[in-house]
Amino acid sequence: MDTFNLLEEKQAILSAIIASTDDTIVSKSLEGIITSWNPAAENMFGYTAEEAIGKHISLIIPDDRLEEENFIIGQIKSGKKVDHFETVRQSKSGILIPISVTVSPIIDSRGNIIGASKIARDISEQKRSVERKATLAAIVNTSDDAIISKTLDGIITSWNRSATKIFGYDEGEAVGKHISLIIPPDRIQEESFIIGEIKKGNKVDHFQTFRRTKIGELIPISLSVSPIEDDNGNIIGASKIARDISGDHATQKEKADLYEQLKDLNAKKDEFIALASHELKTPLTSIHGYMQILSQRVTDEKNKMFVQKTKKQVAKLSALVADLLDVSKIEAGKLQFSNEALAIREVVEDAIDLISHSNEGYEISLHTDLNEQLIYGDAHRIEQVMINLLTNAIRYAPGQHKIEVYLSRESDFIKIGVKDHGVGIAPDKLNDIFSRFYRVDDKNPQISGLGIGLYLCYEIVMRHQGKIWAESKLNQGSTFWFTLPC
Ligand code: ADP
């Protein structure tokens, strides 16, 4: 083979290599005009060889990096190579590609530098991986949890800042040591269990235990341990995240203490209500007695009316005090109930009579077809429920004078309803009104009360194994229902 053929063959091999390599290979003149452009360059930058060849190399240089070209060409002109120069180039669609480029002078047969060849490699993945590692390292280092990795033999391979903070050993002291460094001797068998799980590919989650610090202090921690796999999926170690939960213990203790204090205060409040209502009851009873005597002695009409009014107010006050006393009895678990056969219609009628009598001008109608129905319970307490509901039906319906009472039997219970045409109750308050001291104040600031009437009704009905609830719409009246087993 002659020299010419040899040369031609070499040329062909070179061309084949350039055409098939994954690296981008581009050559350009000293003026920067592109003279060759391999398929990998097409791939990387999106321009075909036809589009690129003959154009200035600035075709792929982002505007803010144009001066790099002067530096590179300067190096080339002085016969120097530019090695692994990390920069950014721009593709046809405008995407910026981080690359590592090596530029070498092209020398003709007479030894003159006539251009440059560039080999570029896309380093986005490499960059991403470096960034990912940096992000992970930042997360590990800023975490409040101790993050530790170890081999399957228990040798510590990494140790973050929080591990130092929690356990007291710094990275240099811990890495290379066995994990038993921080395990209390009586818990050493936990490690075999954890490693056993890890070897099976399982995670150990929120394992609460104790570990030992450098100064020998035991701290409660919650451990989560996960297997570490190599690229082939083999388990080669474990990463553990340890959270110091001594803070949680402290908070729990604080909460428990607060709860105790609250219980104490609540008990004191109940005690006070009991005492106050008891102390109020005694003078009220004497006032009531003296009022009785006065009403018999006073003869002139005007004074009679004053005495009458005073008696009415005393009765109201007595009812309030009696309710308060009941509340404190409920709290102390001392509210007594009798359990006798009672004619429910009679009890309902008695309550209606009583309320009608003391509230002139009201029309309270009873709708029922029950006559002789007997049930078991405390007649006095059931009447108290009726009186409370009827009183509310009057108080919360200013200007309205009609109240309907329903009494019926439904399978094995009695159902009683008290319906008014008053202010009504918003749907979101319907469940709260039976709570102790709860009042829907904002709606009826002019109607005073203690918020215990319905609470007492609830307790009495519950103690009879019944149910109580309200149906209502704002400004359209309310119906209070309760049931009692037959
Ligand atoms: P009090 O009437 O003393 O506030 P209750 O326990 O009897 O206490 O009632 C609790 C709350 O329920 C009342 O403050 C009132 O807002 C509401 N309520 C009770 N009955 C009615 C009713 N018939 N119509 C509208 N609201 C009512």
Side-chain angles (χ1 to χ4, degrees), residues 361-362 393-402 421-423:
Y362 281 87
I394 290 173
R395 289 164 64 223
Y396 293 101
Q400 301 290 329
H401 291 93
K402 281 193 171 161
H421 303 275
V423 295

Side-chain angles (χ1 to χ4, degrees), residues 191-362:
E191 183 61 12
S192 340
F193 159 73
I194 293 174
I195 289 292
E197 288 301 299
I198 293 300
K199 280 185 178 159
K200 283 188 253 167
N202 297 337
K203 214 178 146 194
V204 177
D205 244 343
H206 304 302
F207 181 76
Q208 298 212 348
T209 179
F210 283 86
R211 288 296 176 257
R212 199 179 47 175
T213 67
K214 191 174 175 180
I215 56 167
E217 196 186 354
L218 286 182
I219 41 169
I221 60 163
S222 166
L223 264 186
S224 288
V225 191
S226 314
I228 303 176
E229 293 178 355
D230 67 7
D231 290 344
N232 302 319
N234 301 318
I235 296 165
I236 51 163
S239 73
K240 56 203 291 177
I241 301 184
R243 174 163 296 180
D244 179 350
I245 51 172
S246 39
D248 297 3
H249 275 230
T251 333
Q252 271 165 19
K253 177 149 185 347
E254 250 166 53
K255 273 193 196 148
D257 287 351
L258 264 177
Y259 179 70
E260 284 304 318
Q261 281 175 22
L262 215 66
K263 245 176 48 184
D264 245 29
L265 273 175
N266 204 32
K268 284 214 173 87
K269 181 208 65 198
D270 287 340
E271 225 172 90
F272 172 75
I273 293 177
L275 201 76
S277 42
H278 191 79
E279 290 301 313
L280 285 169
K281 207 180 146 185
T282 323
L284 265 176
T285 316
S286 349
I287 294 174
H288 184 75
Y290 287 124
M291 291 311 297
Q292 287 295 109
I293 300 172
L294 253 185
S295 66
Q296 284 157 13
R297 294 200 174 180
V298 170
T299 46
D300 83 283
E301 282 309 309
K302 206 167 180 192
N303 285 339
K304 237 183 172 146
M305 186 190 74
F306 287 150
V307 171
Q308 220 36 44
K309 285 202 165 169
T310 311
K311 271 176 79 178
K312 212 168 161 180
Q313 295 305 318
V314 170
K316 264 193 189 167
L317 205 55
S318 304
L320 267 179
V321 170
D323 276 358
L324 266 180
L325 211 57
D326 280 350
V327 169
S328 63
K329 278 187 194 155
I330 290 174
E331 294 316 311
K334 288 184 186 150
L335 193 65
Q336 301 288 336
F337 283 82
S338 63
N339 192 24
E340 71 237 332
L342 55 96
I344 186 66
R345 179 171 177 153
E346 231 170 77
V347 174
V348 170
E349 279 175 343
D350 283 354
I352 294 176
D353 283 350
L354 194 98
I355 295 295
S356 303
H357 193 69
S358 48
N359 294 276
E360 268 171 39
Y362 281 87

Side-chain angles (χ1 to χ4, degrees), residues 392-393 395-396 420 423-425 433 438-440 444 449-455 478 480:
N392 280 351
R395 289 164 64 223
Y396 293 101
D420 66 52
V423 295
I425 302 159
I433 53 176
Y438 183 87
R439 306 202 67 227
V440 192
N444 333 287
L450 291 179
I452 52 180
L454 288 181
Y455 168 68
S478 321
F480 282 79

Side-chain angles (χ1 to χ4, degrees), residues 320 323 388-397 418-426 429-430 432-444 447-457 470 472-474 477-480:
L320 267 179
D323 276 358
N388 274 343
L389 295 183
L390 287 167
T391 312
N392 280 351
I394 290 173
R395 289 164 64 223
Y396 293 101
V418 177
K419 178 181 176 140
D420 66 52
H421 303 275
V423 295
I425 302 159
K429 308 274 163 52
L430 277 178
D432 298 325
I433 53 176
F434 298 98
S435 314
R436 189 163 56 134
F437 305 132
Y438 183 87
R439 306 202 67 227
V440 192
D441 278 327
D442 48 343
K443 270 316 292 170
N444 333 287
I447 309 172
S448 65
L450 291 179
I452 52 180
L454 288 181
Y455 168 68
L456 287 175
C457 293
S472 182
K473 277 202 179 120
L474 262 188
S478 321
T479 309
F480 282 79

Side-chain angles (χ1 to χ4, degrees), residues 8-249:
E8 211 170 11
E9 197 182 321
K10 222 167 146 184
Q11 198 84 37
I13 293 172
L14 267 176
S15 299
I17 292 174
I18 290 173
S20 60
T21 178
D22 281 342
D23 287 335
T24 294
I25 303 180
V26 172
S27 64
K28 61 183 178 190
S29 68
L30 285 182
E31 290 75 39
I33 301 300
I34 298 168
T35 49
S36 79
W37 188 261
N38 78 337
E42 286 188 12
N43 251 344
M44 184 184 277
F45 298 115
Y47 296 101
T48 62
E50 287 81 57
E51 285 173 314
I53 293 174
K55 298 271 165 56
H56 191 267
I57 190 70
S58 57
L59 183 71
I60 54 163
I61 306 180
D63 289 348
D64 59 339
R65 288 185 181 261
L66 281 170
E67 82 289 350
E68 280 178 15
E69 185 58 14
N70 296 333
F71 159 74
I72 293 173
I73 291 292
Q75 292 291 99
I76 295 300
K77 279 185 178 160
S78 54
K80 290 187 196 132
K81 209 176 153 192
V82 177
D83 238 348
H84 301 302
F85 180 70
E86 288 197 4
T87 180
V88 175
R89 291 294 176 257
Q90 193 164 14
S91 76
K92 189 175 175 183
S93 55
I95 294 171
L96 293 177
I97 312 164
I99 59 167
S100 161
V101 65
T102 297
V103 192
S104 318
I106 303 176
I107 300 169
D108 70 5
S109 50
R110 287 186 296 270
N112 300 321
I113 298 166
I114 53 161
S117 75
K118 307 166 87 122
I119 302 180
R121 182 161 291 174
D122 184 346
I123 53 168
S124 350
E125 188 43 48
Q126 197 178 319
K127 275 233 147 41
R128 269 200 291 274
S129 136
V130 169
E131 272 164 24
R132 261 200 305 268
K133 274 191 190 142
T135 314
L136 275 178
I139 293 173
V140 168
N141 270 327
T142 53
S143 162
D144 281 339
D145 294 334
I147 302 180
I148 300 167
S149 62
K150 60 184 177 190
T151 63
L152 289 181
D153 306 319
I155 303 298
I156 299 169
T157 47
S158 78
W159 185 264
N160 76 338
R161 280 189 209 146
S162 283
T164 301
K165 234 199 271 157
I166 294 174
F167 300 112
Y169 298 98
D170 64 30
E171 191 183 357
E173 290 173 297
V175 170
K177 298 269 164 55
H178 192 266
I179 192 71
S180 56
L181 184 71
I182 56 165
I183 305 181
D186 59 336
R187 289 184 179 261
I188 210 82
Q189 80 289 352
E190 282 178 10
E191 183 61 12
S192 340
F193 159 73
I194 293 174
I195 289 292
E197 288 301 299
I198 293 300
K199 280 185 178 159
K200 283 188 253 167
N202 297 337
K203 214 178 146 194
V204 177
D205 244 343
H206 304 302
F207 181 76
Q208 298 212 348
T209 179
F210 283 86
R211 288 296 176 257
R212 199 179 47 175
T213 67
K214 191 174 175 180
I215 56 167
E217 196 186 354
L218 286 182
I219 41 169
I221 60 163
S222 166
L223 264 186
S224 288
V225 191
S226 314
I228 303 176
E229 293 178 355
D230 67 7
D231 290 344
N232 302 319
N234 301 318
I235 296 165
I236 51 163
S239 73
K240 56 203 291 177
I241 301 184
R243 174 163 296 180
D244 179 350
I245 51 172
S246 39
D248 297 3
H249 275 230

